[in-house]
């Protein structure tokens, strides 16, 4: 559970760790150099038109299907490699902000009209598996327990990543049925986030619920 991870890390780093962090700084250079000429809005997924949703998904598929080792799979690999540095400590919000902006820019190189949407899971907090996100039309639902939890419906069904994995897998509630445990409601989030008086309390109040969503969906 991300909410229980330590808030500090050792100041002594191995050379391999330094290389990983250095590569992240290089990767973020394009984000830091952004020149803002206008403000564009990131919108909740269900507020997009069907055409806009499909354009976003098509851009993801195009990115994943790029030549050689795809940029999409590299994003997955990078997030895994730096998990201990980008979670459970003060870097959580700032690192992820740069990370998703870099991802968004790669999608915009494919389709300039795409803005990275988000899922406001508080809409669906008491029955997350009923969200539009998990329908056949979009991301599909729970994985198939008889097939290593591979997702078999939706637009990413039977998608074979180029990073050695057999499929995209989900196991709702740690494989215990087809329901995702209830997650934080708007009221609970407001009650935790808006009373924070310092950065670390604020960061924890966001990272904890974020971890509950990850764990409830199950992912590989």
């Amino acid at each position: 559970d991300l909410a229980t991870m330590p808030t500090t890390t050792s100041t002594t780093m191995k050379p391999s760790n330094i290389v990983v962090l250095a590569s992240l700084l290089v990767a973020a250079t394009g984000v830091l150099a952004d020149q803002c000429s206008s403000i564009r809005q990131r919108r909740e997924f269900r507020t997009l038109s069907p055409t806009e949703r499909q354009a976003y998904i098509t851009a993801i598929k195009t990115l994943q299907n790029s030549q050689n080792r795809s940029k999409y799979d590299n994003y997955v690999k990078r997030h895994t490699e730096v998990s201990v540095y980008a979670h459970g400590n003060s870097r959580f919000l700032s690192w992820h902000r740069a990370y998703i902006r870099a991802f968004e820019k790669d999608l915009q190189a494919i389709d300039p009209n795409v803005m990275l949407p988000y899922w406001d899971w508080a809409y669906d907090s008491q029955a997350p598996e009923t969200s539009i996100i998990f329908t056949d039309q979009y991301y599909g639902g729970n994985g198939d327990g008889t097939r290593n939890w591979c997702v078999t419906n939706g637009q990413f069904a039977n998608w074979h990543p180029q990073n050695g994995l057999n499929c995209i897998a989900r196991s709702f509630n740690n494989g215990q049925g087809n329901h995702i445990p209830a997650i934080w409601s708007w009221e609970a989030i407001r009650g935790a986030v808006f009373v924070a008086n310092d950065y670390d309390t604020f960061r924890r109040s966001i990272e904890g619920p974020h971890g509950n969503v990850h764990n409830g969906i199950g992912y590989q």
Side-chain angles (χ1 to χ4, degrees), residues 46-185:
R46 75 199 78 206
T47 71
L48 303 178
S49 70
T51 299
E52 290 171 325
R53 294 172 193 160
Q54 190 57 51
Y56 162 66
I57 290 175
T58 297
I60 291 178
K61 289 181 175 180
T62 302
L63 185 66
Q64 204 274 345
N65 290 325
S66 57
Q67 293 294 323
N68 302 315
R69 184 176 180 84
S70 78
K71 287 186 176 181
Y72 183 92
D73 285 338
N74 279 336
Y75 277 109
V76 176
K77 180 174 181 289
R78 185 178 304 161
H79 192 272
T80 301
E81 288 177 340
V82 303
S83 177
V84 68
Y85 307 112
H87 300 85
N89 56 62
S90 61
R91 305 182 189 98
F92 173 72
L93 292 173
S94 56
W95 187 89
H96 282 82
R97 183 176 184 179
Y99 178 77
I100 64 173
R101 176 56 182 148
F103 180 56
E104 183 176 60
K105 289 179 70 175
D106 276 335
L107 295 180
Q108 289 171 342
I110 296 167
D111 184 343
N113 295 316
V114 167
M115 291 293 293
L116 195 63
Y118 61 92
W119 173 37
D120 187 346
W121 35 261
Y123 272 116
D124 314 296
S125 64
Q126 300 310 297
E129 70 280 355
T130 65
S131 174
I132 187 176
I133 293 290
F134 298 115
T135 61
D136 290 347
Q137 190 175 4
Y138 297 113
Y139 283 87
N142 198 12
D144 185 346
T146 67
R147 296 180 55 186
N148 297 318
W149 299 104
C150 290
V151 174
T152 59
N153 65 324
Q155 294 205 39
F156 298 96
N158 303 309
W159 184 1
H160 297 287
Q162 298 176 18
N163 58 7
L165 298 177
N166 293 322
C167 64
I168 292 178
R170 295 190 199 113
S171 53
F172 289 175
N173 194 22
N174 197 30
Q176 304 301 309
N178 290 315
H179 301 287
I180 301 171
I183 49 184
W184 290 50
S185 66

